[in-house]
Amino acid sequence: MYRLIEVKTRKEIRDFINFPLNLYKNNPYFVPPLYGDELKLFRKDDYHKKYNDVAFYLVYEGKRVVGRIQAILSYRSNEIRGLKQVRFTRFDAIDNQEVVHLLIEAITKFAKEKGMNELVGPLGYSDMDREGLLIEGFDELSTFEEQYNFPYYQKLLEKEGFTKDVDWVERKIFAPKEIDEKIGRVTNIMMKRAKLHVVRGLSSRQIISRYGEGFFDLIDKEYGDLYMTVPFSKEEREEMIGTFKMILSSRWIRIIVDENDKVVGAGLCFPSIGKALQKSGGRLTPCALIRLLKSLRKPKILDLGLIAIDKEHRDSGVAWAILLELMKMLKDGQIEYCETNLNLEDNSGIQNNWQRFETILHKRRRSFIKKIS
């Protein structure tokens, strides 16, 4: 007998966070989120609750958790797009249709009570959250930024009436065998004519303190038309800027500014920390911290966070300047490759960029949609 509950108590919160850790125990491809970050989502003062209505659900079989899901009503996303949607995220379950039906039934009821008419996901609070259901690439290590799931998830959702909304693809990108010096010279000439330059000689903390707000302004401006993106709130900006200061080296940050020191281009990579967190289940134990610091100092893999270019400067060499900087990062002898993370399959701009590199398309994720009225 299966039993659905809405998460309320401390024990239920622990069960919700621990379920994927148990479900994917010893799975070599699953990378957990930070345990502390997941706990924050249940705090009464969690800033996400200022902009969203949320609910968390669990399904038990006796005392054993067999499924979980979170519902998010993003008022900002719906207002921007004129939609009446509820997002779902943190969806995990055993391979059982009845369990998944109970979870979908719960978020459907939540959505209808709020006057909504569609379910969509997996999607989080913003574009920086884990999103998309893995539908190809189950034998590839997940990145810290994204969620792993078993192959049967797609079948279970489709039997509940969900269909494809969009797909993202992910690539491994490798350094080109040679960097064309002519491209570098032409790019430099174009940048000088437009009075643009790459920021050099600053520490990561200096770069983030000086250009952090400009970076997020650029992201909001240039990502605003992409699928289901939501402008970053003041609290999200502050939290991410604090995180960037702790984990990022200036080696992996590229900022391009104009003559007025305004950010017009940015590229951000993160050292891959997935393996460092696997053994501890996302908890920052002393051993996990040692592994994490080693990964940050001497990464073998980079995760591509974001690339953004001001539309007004796309003919000024900025795109090529960012790509050349990425090529130089990959030419570093210790870096094996870079993970692109999620790129929309129909985003021709970003897809065309990767033609300049040696790449392997190795994962695909999907956002599903279902009408409920």
Side-chain angles (χ1 to χ4, degrees):
M1 179 70 70
Y2 298 116
R3 173 173 57 94
L4 175 99
I5 61 104
E6 184 175 355
V7 176
K8 298 292 185 183
T9 69
R10 290 184 179 180
K11 179 186 180 302
E12 291 162 358
I13 290 170
R14 289 196 301 271
D15 285 349
F16 188 93
I17 297 172
N18 287 330
F19 177 56
L21 304 180
N22 296 326
L23 186 65
Y24 297 107
K25 189 175 181 179
N26 299 322
N27 184 294
Y29 311 115
F30 170 75
V31 172
L34 288 175
Y35 199 90
D37 286 349
E38 295 297 285
L39 272 176
K40 287 179 186 177
L41 298 176
F42 293 90
R43 287 171 43 173
K44 291 182 179 178
D45 62 349
D46 175 35
Y47 64 80
H48 292 107
K49 292 172 183 173
K50 290 174 60 176
Y51 310 98
N52 309 270
D53 280 344
V54 300
F56 301 84
Y57 300 97
L58 284 169
V59 174
Y60 288 90
E61 183 181 32
K63 295 183 179 180
R64 182 174 73 108
V65 178
V66 291
R68 72 168 196 167
I69 201 165
Q70 180 189 1
I72 300 174
L73 198 174
S74 173
Y75 288 105
R76 291 183 297 166
S77 178
N78 283 347
E79 183 179 354
I80 289 168
R81 298 174 174 86
L83 299 173
K84 292 185 176 182
Q85 292 183 334
V86 160
R87 300 174 173 212
F88 70 90
T89 185
R90 292 173 175 83
F91 165 62
D92 289 289
I94 62 171
D95 189 2
N96 183 286
Q97 197 68 51
E98 184 179 350
V99 170
V100 173
H101 182 72
L102 286 171
L103 293 171
I104 300 306
E105 195 172 50
I107 63 172
T108 299
K109 181 181 177 184
F110 171 88
K112 287 184 175 181
E113 288 176 350
K114 302 291 183 179
M116 302 295 107
N117 57 26
E118 285 183 324
L119 302 177
V120 64
L123 292 168
Y125 293 106
S126 76
D127 201 43
M128 295 296 283
D129 290 341
R130 296 179 172 208
E131 56 190 2
L133 192 86
L134 189 67
I135 60 171
E136 294 177 13
F138 300 102
D139 57 352
E140 296 282 349
L141 178 68
S142 186
T143 65
F144 171 71
E145 294 82 9
E146 302 303 339
Q147 180 69 17
Y148 182 81
N149 59 261
F150 289 125
Y152 62 76
Y153 279 41
Q154 180 180 357
K155 171 197 68 177
L156 293 173
L157 281 180
E158 289 176 346
K159 284 189 176 180
E160 292 299 318
F162 285 89
T163 57
K164 173 183 174 179
D165 202 13
V166 300
D167 276 7
W168 295 271
V169 293
E170 301 176 55
R171 300 174 187 268
K172 292 179 181 179
I173 58 174
F174 303 87
K177 294 178 181 178
E178 298 292 336
I179 299 177
D180 191 332
E181 293 182 4
K182 181 179 178 181
I183 293 175
R185 289 194 300 270
V186 172
T187 299
N188 287 335
I189 291 170
M190 293 174 68
M191 293 270 285
K192 286 180 180 179
R193 285 177 180 170
K195 298 181 180 179
L196 307 176
H197 67 275
V198 179
V199 173
R200 309 279 189 192
L202 298 180
S203 69
S204 59
R205 284 181 172 267
Q206 289 172 323
I207 293 172
I208 294 165
S209 295
R210 185 167 172 177
Y211 299 108
E213 286 297 328
F215 169 80
F216 283 110
D217 287 344
L218 179 65
I219 296 298
D220 279 343
K221 176 184 175 184
E222 299 306 323
Y223 279 51
D225 294 334
L226 296 182
Y227 177 77
M228 294 302 172
T229 56
V230 180
F232 294 109
S233 68
K234 176 178 178 291
E235 296 89 348
E236 284 172 315
R237 290 186 179 212
E238 290 174 350
E239 182 176 75
M240 283 187 281
I241 286 174
T243 301
F244 290 171
K245 285 181 177 178
M246 288 191 294
I247 68 172
L248 279 179
S249 163
S250 57
R251 294 166 63 192
W252 318 122
I253 306 171
R254 293 296 183 269
I255 300 291
I256 296 175
V257 297
D258 65 12
E259 58 185 323
N260 299 313
D261 215 29
K262 177 186 175 183
V263 179
V264 299
L268 191 66
C269 289
F270 300 95
S272 176
I273 60 172
K275 285 187 175 295
L277 295 173
Q278 280 183 318
K279 291 182 180 179
S280 68
R283 294 176 176 86
L284 292 179
T285 63
C287 289
L289 280 170
I290 292 171
R291 293 193 297 268
L292 180 63
L293 291 172
K294 183 178 178 181
S295 296
L296 294 175
R297 284 197 305 267
K298 295 183 178 181
K300 294 183 179 180
I301 302 167
L302 293 178
D303 294 346
L304 183 61
L306 295 164
I307 291 180
I309 298 161
D310 194 311
K311 292 182 179 73
E312 298 172 12
H313 290 278
R314 289 186 180 173
D315 295 326
S316 303
V318 177
W320 262 113
I322 293 290
L323 291 177
L324 285 169
E325 293 296 321
L326 180 58
M327 290 177 186
K328 292 173 185 176
M329 290 184 200
L330 291 172
K331 280 292 187 182
D332 184 322
Q334 74 184 43
I335 303 300
E336 295 177 9
Y337 61 87
C338 179
E339 286 261 7
T340 64
N341 281 311
L342 278 68
N343 297 155
L344 287 164
E345 64 177 349
D346 61 355
N347 185 340
S348 57
I350 193 68
Q351 299 297 345
N352 290 338
N353 283 340
W354 305 137
Q355 294 180 12
R356 313 292 179 179
F357 297 79
E358 294 183 27
T359 71
I360 298 173
L361 196 159
H362 66 308
K363 297 176 194 170
R364 180 178 293 268
R365 296 180 190 273
R366 179 164 295 172
S367 177
F368 291 85
I369 193 167
K370 177 184 179 180
K371 293 191 179 297
I372 56 174
S373 65

